[in-house]
Amino acid sequence: MGTVYLVGAGPGAPDLLTLRAAELLRQAQIVFHDALVHPATLALASSAQHIAVGKRCGKLSVAQRFINKRLIDAAGKYETVVRLKGGDPMLFARAQEEIDALSAAGVPVVVVPGVTAALAASAEIGVSLSRRGVSRSVVFATPRVGAEEDADDDWTRAVVAADTAVLYMAAGQAQAVAAALQAAGMRPETPVAVVRNASLPTARSFHTSLAELGAAAEQWHLSGPAVILVGEVYKQADAAGVAASEFSGEHERHAADGTAWWR
Ligand code: SAH
């Protein structure tokens, strides 16, 4: 019987993978991977069979139960089975369903962490999630309803209570997210940053306010994976490498090759 490794692939850039993850990919006989995993990362698993089981918003997905079963079956055949997930496996990645199913089937499971999107996005815009005197609590939240028992606006409580919030799977419904947070008591002027494709050459970001978020998201055609960052720390987005801008406007940051972001 083999072992299933739930491995974090990081936020996108292939060199943001841990050495442990790279070694496991090298050893793997089979890799089940998400849609967002970079081809160069997959290429590390040069002697493995690659199977895409990714779930992407609005796209056809492979049912979770079917993925669980395939992982169990693979562990019966191969010594090293890698389940490669974007970012970190333990955050918004349905790791628990897989851990529980594998454990119930008596399959050993090992988790290898990865750089989650919130951290890559913070690096991208050069703004710290925590900041002395401004933010000492950070919440990772999603408006996405994961189960029937999740109440629709449950997620807003934690966001309102935290100094800084990072919202996953939220950019596609930016208008509704902004409305829900304001209805829950957040000030319309609350600073917001949006970062798309963090860590990749196609990374883009803009700054806005809660009140303007819906319109800004529409203007900039949010597509691709993006996080919405909310909190006072985003009031000053003038860190190294980021063109300083007035909080009210979006800024255009230019990639090394001169191409403007969000164009
Ligand atoms: N386990 C992953 C999250 C999976 S949920 C992690 O730890 O990062 C998918 C969501 O992650 C997307 O909807 C988006 O909000 C966020 N995301 C993933 N990659 C991203 C990237 N490169 N830049 C910005 N957001 C990203």
Side-chain angles (χ1 to χ4, degrees):
M1 163 96 52
T3 299
V4 174
Y5 296 87
L6 302 188
V7 176
D15 58 349
L16 282 177
L17 191 73
T18 64
L19 294 174
R20 189 180 297 179
E23 178 58 22
L24 283 166
L25 286 171
R26 207 183 54 73
Q27 289 172 9
Q29 287 90 38
I30 189 162
V31 176
F32 296 91
H33 63 90
D34 282 357
L36 291 176
V37 175
H38 197 285
T41 304
L42 281 176
L44 294 173
S46 53
S47 52
Q49 189 183 339
H50 298 179
I51 298 174
V53 290
K55 293 186 285 289
R56 288 218 53 191
C57 307
K59 299 242 173 93
L60 208 64
S61 73
V62 182
Q64 187 62 48
R65 243 178 310 151
F66 186 58
I67 296 177
N68 297 349
K69 179 168 184 322
R70 293 192 75 175
L71 291 173
I72 293 165
D73 290 348
K77 278 196 234 150
Y78 306 104
E79 199 181 316
T80 306
V81 178
V82 170
R83 172 73 177 102
L84 191 61
K85 291 169 177 286
D88 184 274
M90 301 301 235
L91 193 62
F92 303 135
R94 308 193 64 171
Q96 203 61 55
E97 283 99 319
E98 292 174 14
I99 291 168
D100 291 349
L102 289 160
S103 302
V107 177
V109 193
V110 174
V111 180
V112 178
V115 176
T116 190
L119 308 183
S122 301
E124 200 67 62
I125 59 174
V127 180
S128 177
L129 290 164
S130 60
R131 183 164 175 166
R132 280 161 58 125
V134 181
S135 168
R136 55 177 185 167
S137 61
V138 179
V139 69
F140 299 155
T142 182
R144 175 70 59 91
V145 176
E148 272 168 28
E149 56 271 23
D150 289 350
D152 247 10
D153 54 2
D154 259 5
W155 64 277
T156 58
R157 268 182 294 122
V159 174
V160 172
D163 293 326
T164 303
V166 184
L167 308 180
Y168 287 66
M169 294 179 277
Q173 40 180 313
Q175 181 80 62
V177 161
L181 290 177
Q182 289 176 87
M186 278 191 122
R187 292 181 307 110
E189 313 81 57
T190 306
V192 172
V194 179
V195 184
R196 185 184 87 177
N197 287 340
S199 83
L200 293 166
T202 49
R204 296 189 178 174
S205 66
F206 63 82
H207 291 82
T208 182
S209 66
L210 212 46
E212 301 290 322
L213 173 61
E218 203 150 286
Q219 181 190 352
W220 297 113
H221 306 297
L222 280 184
S223 69
V227 283
I228 299 176
L229 306 129
V230 184
E232 291 304 318
V233 291
Y234 302 107
K235 203 166 183 169
Q236 288 160 345
D238 52 359
V242 181
S245 69
E246 286 308 308
F247 153 63
S248 57
E250 65 280 347
H251 72 258
E252 265 197 357
R253 177 173 161 179
H254 292 264
D257 66 1
T259 50
W261 293 27
W262 294 109
R263 287 284 175 208

